[in-house]
Amino acid sequence: MSDSCRSQSGAPHILPAEETAAACRQSESGLGRRVAAAGTTKMANQEAAEIQISELDLLSSMFPYEEEFAVTDQLALAELKHCVENESAEVPSSKVQFILNVKTEVPNASTVEFSMSCALPFKYPSVLPEITVRSSLLSRSQQILLNSDLKTYLMQNFNGEPCILSAREWVKDHAAAYIDKDLSSFSMTAADATKSEVTMFTRLWIYSHHIYNKQKRKNIIEWAKELSLSGFCMPGKPGVVCVEGLQSSCEEFWSRIRRLTWKRILIRHREDVSLEGGGHAEIQKQRKFSTLEEKCFDAHGARGNHMDLGQLYNFLEEKGCADIFQMYFGVVGHSRD
């Protein structure tokens, strides 16, 4: 049964592949029409958030079982819904991520399952979703080629429209063919696909109401080291944490940190830089900090929990990050001689 389209009565309604794809596009195109109405950045962010919620609701209704569709970051989904319900211009601190599992038949009549790990960038559908297809039956080269071809299909056929359903249908129709594909003649293609994969360098500026707890401070240092992240942590009230490195490592760090108990913690600002085929040297070139260390600036106050913000500004200025001070504290910082 093509589970991408079901009749209103709930009975299976089988369509040819071309009609199925058309039906998927029709379902999604209605969600995408609202993008053109966004005139300002705030409106654009609001429209994008509404479209993402609508598409997620559609996926949830079409695939109600967890083995078919599962949101893996409920906190990110809650932030996105909050953005829509409160008409907030604030960008959510992390992307909504979810899994779509696709079962399809291979020529020998056995059934194979492919897992689609999806993430919706904040500007989606103006930009393409991040999708990685995996299967235990795929070799690394086959998986690289499959994901490269899927990305090419989406780039060629979708421009500012929701496309998760269509991507799922493409995987259902084409993925099985990659399992037995002889890549001897495609070795260069797979190598090129690997080289063309875009490496993302990310810097997260995290704000906390306070950071006192010694175990949390220890976690911040140890997790950053484990994930090869650099930056700094300023304990006290308020607490400031900056981490930088590979995007996947930064997001893993944020996923761990936010699950701890905090009075208030959020990503105040994030920076993402694309590094085409970025190797270690290119990543190191983007870093503003050599390692991650705890920084204290003349702690004072009754509990010794307030830092000298003038010294913090000087430190940020030395690192080329002075503009961040205003994002944190709402005032323009000034250097101290």
Side-chain angles (χ1 to χ4, degrees):
M1 180 178 86
S2 175
D3 43 11
S4 60
C5 295
R6 301 181 181 181
S7 68
Q8 294 181 351
S9 64
H13 185 53
I14 301 175
L15 297 175
E18 295 82 3
E19 292 183 35
T20 299
C24 289
R25 289 198 187 195
Q26 187 175 6
S27 298
E28 295 176 316
S29 62
L31 302 176
R33 293 193 187 100
R34 286 172 289 176
V35 175
T40 65
T41 301
K42 178 178 178 180
M43 289 175 64
N45 289 344
Q46 184 72 16
E47 291 287 340
E50 290 177 0
I51 290 170
Q52 290 185 30
I53 291 294
S54 296
E55 187 166 32
L56 290 166
D57 287 344
L58 179 63
L59 290 168
S60 181
S61 65
M62 292 180 67
F63 312 111
Y65 302 109
E66 193 170 345
E67 59 267 25
E68 296 177 300
F69 167 70
V71 175
T72 54
D73 191 339
Q74 292 293 338
L75 288 173
L77 178 58
E79 283 187 352
L80 188 66
K81 288 182 176 179
H82 177 81
C83 175
V84 171
E85 292 167 1
N86 295 275
E87 298 186 356
S88 170
E90 187 174 340
V91 174
S93 59
S94 56
K95 308 168 190 175
V96 175
Q97 301 185 46
F98 55 92
I99 301 291
L100 274 171
N101 291 318
V102 186
K103 291 183 178 180
T104 186
E105 291 187 357
V106 292
N108 62 7
S110 62
T111 301
V112 176
E113 182 170 282
F114 293 88
S115 175
M116 296 173 61
S117 299
C118 309
L120 302 182
F122 307 129
K123 294 184 179 181
Y124 172 84
S126 295
V127 299
L128 290 177
E130 299 167 8
I131 302 176
T132 302
V133 183
R134 298 181 176 90
S135 171
S136 58
L137 298 180
L138 288 171
S139 68
R140 174 169 166 75
S141 296
Q142 289 167 339
Q143 180 176 308
I144 289 172
L145 188 58
L146 167 59
N147 283 290
S148 176
D149 288 351
L150 172 59
K151 186 174 182 179
T152 299
Y153 164 74
L154 295 177
M155 290 176 64
Q156 292 176 347
N157 292 278
F158 297 92
N159 182 19
E161 297 179 1
C163 58
I164 297 296
L165 278 174
S166 297
R168 184 187 185 281
E169 198 62 29
W170 187 93
V171 170
K172 187 175 179 64
D173 292 342
H174 298 90
Y178 288 79
I179 293 175
D180 298 320
K181 184 165 285 190
D182 179 6
L183 291 183
S184 57
S185 59
F186 294 88
S187 56
M188 185 61 69
T189 305
D192 290 343
T194 304
K195 290 178 183 177
S196 67
E197 285 182 342
V198 177
T199 300
M200 293 296 294
F201 180 90
T202 294
R203 184 176 297 110
L204 300 181
W205 295 93
I206 300 169
Y207 169 91
S208 174
H209 179 270
H210 64 264
I211 304 176
Y212 300 145
N213 185 280
K214 290 183 179 180
Q215 184 58 50
K216 288 180 182 176
R217 290 159 65 178
K218 183 180 179 182
N219 287 340
I220 289 170
I221 301 296
E222 291 182 348
W223 288 344
K225 183 177 181 181
E226 175 193 338
L227 296 167
S228 300
L229 298 176
S230 51
F232 74 96
C233 169
M234 184 187 82
K237 181 181 181 181
V240 174
V241 179
C242 171
V243 290
E244 60 180 8
L246 287 176
Q247 184 181 75
S248 57
S249 298
C250 285
E251 292 185 347
E252 173 62 22
F253 178 88
W254 173 240
S255 176
R256 296 183 191 182
I257 287 294
R258 69 191 303 193
R259 283 173 171 78
L260 301 177
T261 303
W262 302 92
K263 181 170 183 178
R264 177 173 170 78
I265 191 166
L266 55 88
I267 294 177
R268 182 68 79 188
H269 180 62
R270 72 178 285 156
E271 303 167 48
D272 292 302
V273 180
S274 297
L275 307 176
E276 292 285 348
H280 178 74
E282 201 168 347
I283 292 170
Q284 293 301 105
K285 193 185 301 182
Q286 292 294 327
R287 293 187 189 272
K288 293 183 181 292
F289 307 91
S290 58
T291 184
L292 191 140
E293 58 183 339
E294 189 169 276
K295 302 292 291 186
C296 295
F297 303 100
D298 285 352
H300 60 281
R303 296 176 57 186
N305 59 356
H306 290 276
M307 299 295 168
D308 185 322
L309 297 184
Q311 290 189 25
L312 170 63
Y313 178 79
N314 286 345
F315 173 72
L316 293 173
E317 190 175 42
E318 289 172 8
K319 299 296 183 179
C321 309
D323 56 325
I324 295 297
F325 189 89
Q326 187 173 7
M327 294 184 188
Y328 269 98
F329 305 106
V331 294
V332 178
H334 297 283
S335 299
R336 290 188 179 181
D337 296 330

